[in-house]
Amino acid sequence: MAGKKLTVAVIGGGIGRAHIEEGYALNADRFEVAALCDPDAARRDAVADEFGISRRVASFEEVLDMRDVDVVDICTPPFLHFDQVRAALDTGKHVICEKPLVGSLQQVDALADLETRSRGRLMPVFQSRFGDGVQQVRRLIDAGLCGKAFLATAETCWQRGAAYYAVPWRGKRETELGGTLLSHAIHTHDVLTYLMGPIASVSGVTTTRVNSIETEDCFSASGTFASGAPVSLAGTLGSRTEFTRLYLAFEQLTVESDIHPYDYSQRPWRIVPASDEVRTAVETTLAGWQTVPPGFASQFRLFAEALASDRAMPVTTADARRALELVTAVYRSSELGKRVALPLAAGQEGYAGLLQ
Ligand SMILES: NC(=O)c1ccc[n+]([C@@H]2O[C@H](COP(=O)([O-])OP(=O)(O)OC[C@H]3O[C@@H](n4cnc5c(N)ncnc54)[C@H](O)[C@@H]3O)[C@@H](O)[C@H]2O)c1
């Protein structure tokens, strides 16, 4: 059921521009972007002109007063997310919010609680789950073809230098809320746990070696999934060859992702079966595959479908919690020099803030 088009206000014209181009414009039967909010007048006008958006405002509060706006899409710097999501849910609007949703488990739990009392629903952005490569592996797992999980590794080796960190909110604890674990590898680790399930314990090291910033730009961690399989994570912002790579070893097959740093979700992943029998089962399961558009296009379409049918969001507040929990655990482990067990509940160290 398509229902009426959702009227959207985009807050922040940075990645917000990509949300419009790659998300809403490709689902024009479901969404109309009616307003753009950004205090930066030049950016606001440039993006609004490009996409023919007539309502342009500088203040977030003005958007909350727009009665016809169904969805507030928050694409502002991380330190603003908690207050803006809360205010939008308080007015009963639906909310899409960029990663990281917020800066602590306490805040994510507060939003989850508010969501149960609001007319509005909340969807955090984790667009890397969508695309053929990831979704085909997910289909094989759901079909029960993979067998016991043996091991997974995830590497997020990108390059970010002085120009990237010249943007004032980046690289600072107060405003970015964390470093590359929170801002970049969070996507890779969301894909990893989406496929492999939650991580049960982790031991990690974070450090700042590439840039002159407050937050970490290199990390490594090892741990175990709830299934018992070991996991290894690594990332740097100082890699001359940029890549994202996931490797999943199961009893019945092994999986290697494409290694394009950002488009790995869509491109074909290498699936190596343990036998001819498994190969046939894989081919049968994936026969007639319908392409899953990557990124915002699929995530936003599924958001509209979830609202229309009162189904679960394609990415939930619980997913954002799981992602924040892993970041919190690695930060705590690095600081304390010991293994940290998950899940982290209210009252445990790190619950109230990512960086102590
Ligand atoms: N999902 C992804 O792949 C992805 C990619 C890039 C950034 N992000 C996330 O998106 C968010 C924004 O990042 P960005 O790269 O677009 O940053 P940016 O600095 O390029 O853009 C943020 C915009 O928000 C505007 N802004 C600041 N305060 C505002 C307010 N109170 N109300 C409205 N607008 C306000 C700024 O003027 C700016 O134009 C961050 O949380 C970041 O982590 C996600």
Side-chain angles (χ1 to χ4, degrees), residues 226-255:
S227 67
V231 57
S232 161
L233 314 170
T236 178
L237 294 182
S239 185
R240 298 290 151 196
T241 56
E242 286 196 290
F243 63 91
T244 303
R245 177 163 50 207
L246 292 109
Y247 167 81
L248 317 176
F250 297 96
E251 191 179 3
Q252 299 299 339
L253 47 84
T254 57
V255 173

Side-chain angles (χ1 to χ4, degrees), residues 165 208 210-214 217:
Y165 282 106
T208 310
V210 183
N211 292 285
S212 298
I213 53 174
E214 289 175 11
D217 54 19

Side-chain angles (χ1 to χ4, degrees), residues 14-15 38-39 43 75-76 80-81 98-99 127 169-170:
I15 194 69
D38 198 310
R43 184 175 243 186
C75 302
T76 54
L80 296 170
H81 292 178
E98 261 298 348
K99 60 79 195 163
Q127 82 274 18
W169 64 264
R170 292 203 180 114

Side-chain angles (χ1 to χ4, degrees), residues 49-329:
D49 285 349
E50 184 181 359
F51 296 100
I53 301 166
S54 53
R55 255 184 280 169
R56 305 161 184 204
V57 296
S59 105
F60 181 66
E61 287 64 36
E62 283 184 72
V63 173
L64 298 180
D65 289 338
M66 293 177 186
R67 298 185 64 130
D68 64 321
V69 166
D70 304 303
V71 181
V72 176
D73 179 5
I74 296 169
C75 302
T76 54
F79 71 103
L80 296 170
H81 292 178
F82 179 67
D83 285 344
Q84 291 184 333
V85 171
R86 193 169 52 173
L89 286 177
D90 273 339
T91 63
K93 298 193 184 302
H94 304 301
V95 181
I96 294 175
C97 182
E98 261 298 348
K99 60 79 195 163
L101 178 60
V102 288
S104 71
L105 293 168
Q106 187 170 44
Q107 288 183 336
V108 80
D109 286 349
L111 292 184
D113 178 55
L114 178 56
E115 205 184 350
T116 63
R117 290 180 277 112
S118 170
R119 270 186 296 119
R121 297 182 63 190
L122 170 60
M123 181 182 74
V125 171
F126 275 138
Q127 82 274 18
S128 298
R129 293 179 180 195
F130 305 98
D132 291 335
V134 175
Q135 288 298 323
Q136 288 190 350
V137 174
R138 179 68 201 229
R139 172 81 62 87
L140 299 179
I141 292 169
D142 289 344
L145 280 186
C146 299
K148 186 177 180 180
F150 288 161
L151 170 76
T153 68
E155 295 155 290
T156 312
C157 299
W158 297 3
Q159 195 178 139
R160 296 288 185 276
Y164 180 83
Y165 282 106
V167 174
W169 64 264
R170 292 203 180 114
K172 301 190 178 84
R173 287 161 179 250
E174 282 278 299
T175 47
E176 190 165 1
L177 311 177
T180 193
L181 255 173
L182 185 70
S183 287
H184 310 112
I186 198 166
H187 286 296
T188 321
H189 299 165
D190 174 66
V191 171
L192 179 74
T193 53
Y194 172 66
L195 295 173
M196 300 294 285
I199 290 175
S201 76
V202 72
S203 171
V205 172
T206 65
T207 181
T208 310
R209 298 183 64 77
V210 183
N211 292 285
S212 298
I213 53 174
E214 289 175 11
T215 52
E216 89 284 352
D217 54 19
C218 300
F219 69 87
S220 74
S222 70
T224 51
F225 290 104
S227 67
V231 57
S232 161
L233 314 170
T236 178
L237 294 182
S239 185
R240 298 290 151 196
T241 56
E242 286 196 290
F243 63 91
T244 303
R245 177 163 50 207
L246 292 109
Y247 167 81
L248 317 176
F250 297 96
E251 191 179 3
Q252 299 299 339
L253 47 84
T254 57
V255 173
E256 292 167 64
S257 73
D258 181 82
I259 62 165
H260 188 284
Y262 317 117
D263 289 339
Y264 63 92
S265 307
Q266 172 69 4
R267 296 174 176 211
W269 288 24
R270 184 161 176 252
I271 296 163
V272 180
S275 65
D276 287 343
E277 197 185 329
V278 176
R279 183 187 311 280
T280 304
V282 167
E283 285 168 3
T284 307
T285 304
L286 299 181
W289 181 260
Q290 303 272 312
T291 282
V292 177
F296 306 130
S298 275
Q299 190 177 347
F300 293 2
R301 184 155 201 93
L302 291 168
F303 170 84
E305 287 172 5
L307 285 184
S309 58
D310 208 20
R311 283 203 308 261
M313 285 291 158
V315 180
T316 63
T317 311
D319 294 330
R321 191 189 200 285
R322 182 165 70 180
L324 278 173
E325 196 169 51
L326 177 60
V327 176
T328 307

